[in-house]
Amino acid sequence: MASSSHAPLFVLFLLLLIPSLRTAPNATAVVSRIAFGSCANQSAPQPVWEAIVEFDPQVFIWLGDNVYGDNKRPFRVFGRERTVGPWKNVPRFYPATEEELRRKYELAKANPGYTKLRERAQVIGTWDDHDYGLNDAGKEFSGKVFTQRLLLDFLDEAEDSSRRQQAGVYTSYMFGPEGKRVKVIMLDTRYHRDPLLSDGSILGDPQWQWLERELHGPQSEITIIGSSIQVVSNLSATTGPLFYVESWARFPRERERLFRLIDSKKWGVIY
């Protein structure tokens, strides 16, 4: 997930809702087992897939950094190219080309364990910064049109999907029959995000309007909101100015707006 430095790790969260079914979800199947993952370095070993497959989720949700698609210079405090410290003269992270990013997605998708998961579960997701195309990037990133296309290809999004027509990858899903519905809302905290020190917008007006409609739309017993950056944590407030972690806390007005909107739904929201 987003931060000023990133180690190759994989974050996994498993959610058990109700007794297990062993089939992928359809319009009427009760969804009982959901797995979440993020921060998957496609060039590193990923034995965790076997544990995920053994858990047997019906839905797997990517929460971002699904691949590490941008490029990284060495950590250098001294020398011609200084990437960290007060005398830094070149950025440590820089974007990949479209072809480079495509190859990284292909490598990730070909992982045998992940292939096995895709055969058994529905895979959905959003992105964070490194699969968006650049560490800590927001709306200013110029490559976001082709990186959106590559992400949606990775997620096997249909060619006629509305996600391929809109600016940003936010979307929602409804699983299960009436009375046992689970709604999953995936936010895009990158495509429309203002600069980090601006206290501007994370989601942008169109996505905020969409989110309000989603939260007040058809009833679900459980609503899961997926954000690629931390929502509740105030870590940046306690660690700055030594270092900062990207989070909703760095956009306090946006976070308060999100909390008010969730509170207006009153119950059943996990985020």
Side-chain angles (χ1 to χ4, degrees):
M1 308 296 279
S3 68
S4 56
S5 64
H6 298 259
L9 61 104
F10 193 96
V11 178
L12 172 66
F13 177 69
L14 307 177
L15 178 63
L16 176 62
L17 297 176
I18 48 182
S20 173
L21 297 177
R22 295 188 59 83
T23 56
N26 55 47
T28 59
V30 175
V31 168
S32 60
R33 298 170 80 85
I34 301 175
F36 301 77
S38 67
C39 306
N41 187 331
Q42 70 283 351
S43 299
Q46 295 181 356
V48 71
W49 290 120
E50 293 304 320
I52 299 172
V53 171
E54 185 177 349
F55 177 73
D56 196 22
Q58 295 154 277
V59 179
F60 179 84
I61 301 176
W62 282 112
L63 289 175
D65 289 346
N66 313 321
V67 296
Y68 280 73
D70 52 355
N71 295 308
K72 183 168 63 173
R73 295 183 175 92
F75 186 98
R76 289 192 179 126
V77 180
F78 304 103
R80 181 177 299 175
E81 290 190 343
R82 301 179 295 277
T83 57
V84 294
W87 299 282
K88 179 174 76 172
N89 62 358
V90 293
R92 191 168 187 215
F93 294 89
Y94 60 98
T97 66
E98 182 173 354
E99 183 55 35
E100 285 176 323
L101 183 55
R102 180 181 292 108
R103 287 198 299 268
K104 292 175 180 180
Y105 270 124
E106 289 172 350
L107 179 60
K109 203 167 186 176
N111 182 288
Y114 182 57
T115 298
K116 190 181 299 183
L117 175 69
R118 290 174 57 233
E119 293 170 350
R120 303 184 62 169
Q122 181 170 345
V123 176
I124 62 177
T126 186
W127 56 17
D128 196 32
D129 52 349
H130 293 287
D131 42 355
Y132 178 59
L134 184 63
N135 180 57
D136 293 352
K139 69 180 184 182
E140 76 287 347
F141 178 59
S142 61
K144 59 188 179 182
V145 173
F146 81 75
T147 60
Q148 176 169 338
R149 181 175 67 255
L150 293 179
L151 172 71
L152 298 180
D153 290 346
F154 174 70
L155 295 174
D156 298 310
E157 194 78 19
E159 289 298 325
D160 60 353
S161 168
S162 61
R163 289 179 95 185
R164 293 187 181 272
Q165 310 303 319
Q166 69 186 29
V169 300
Y170 55 91
T171 191
S172 70
Y173 302 83
M174 186 78 84
F175 301 109
E178 186 174 354
K180 295 182 178 180
R181 289 177 177 161
V182 177
K183 186 168 195 174
V184 178
I185 296 174
M186 306 302 303
L187 301 181
D188 184 334
T189 64
R190 294 292 162 189
Y191 203 100
H192 301 283
R193 198 212 68 197
D194 286 325
L196 281 173
L197 299 178
S198 68
D199 195 16
S201 182
I202 293 178
L203 302 184
D205 288 340
Q207 189 175 180
W208 273 116
Q209 295 165 12
W210 166 84
L211 178 58
E212 184 170 359
R213 292 193 300 270
E214 290 295 321
L215 283 174
H216 296 132
Q219 184 64 52
S220 61
E221 282 58 50
I222 295 175
T223 299
I224 299 170
I225 300 177
S227 168
S228 70
I229 58 174
Q230 299 174 50
V231 176
V232 178
S233 172
N234 285 314
L235 182 62
S236 282
T238 59
T239 59
L242 296 177
F243 69 91
Y244 292 96
V245 176
E246 281 193 284
S247 66
W248 282 77
R250 299 187 70 178
F251 294 81
R253 289 182 296 180
E254 287 283 273
R255 187 170 69 163
E256 182 58 32
R257 181 177 180 179
L258 179 65
F259 288 163
R260 288 198 307 269
L261 183 56
I262 291 172
D263 187 59
S264 71
K265 187 172 172 58
K266 300 301 181 187
W267 63 279
V269 179
I270 301 172
Y271 57 96

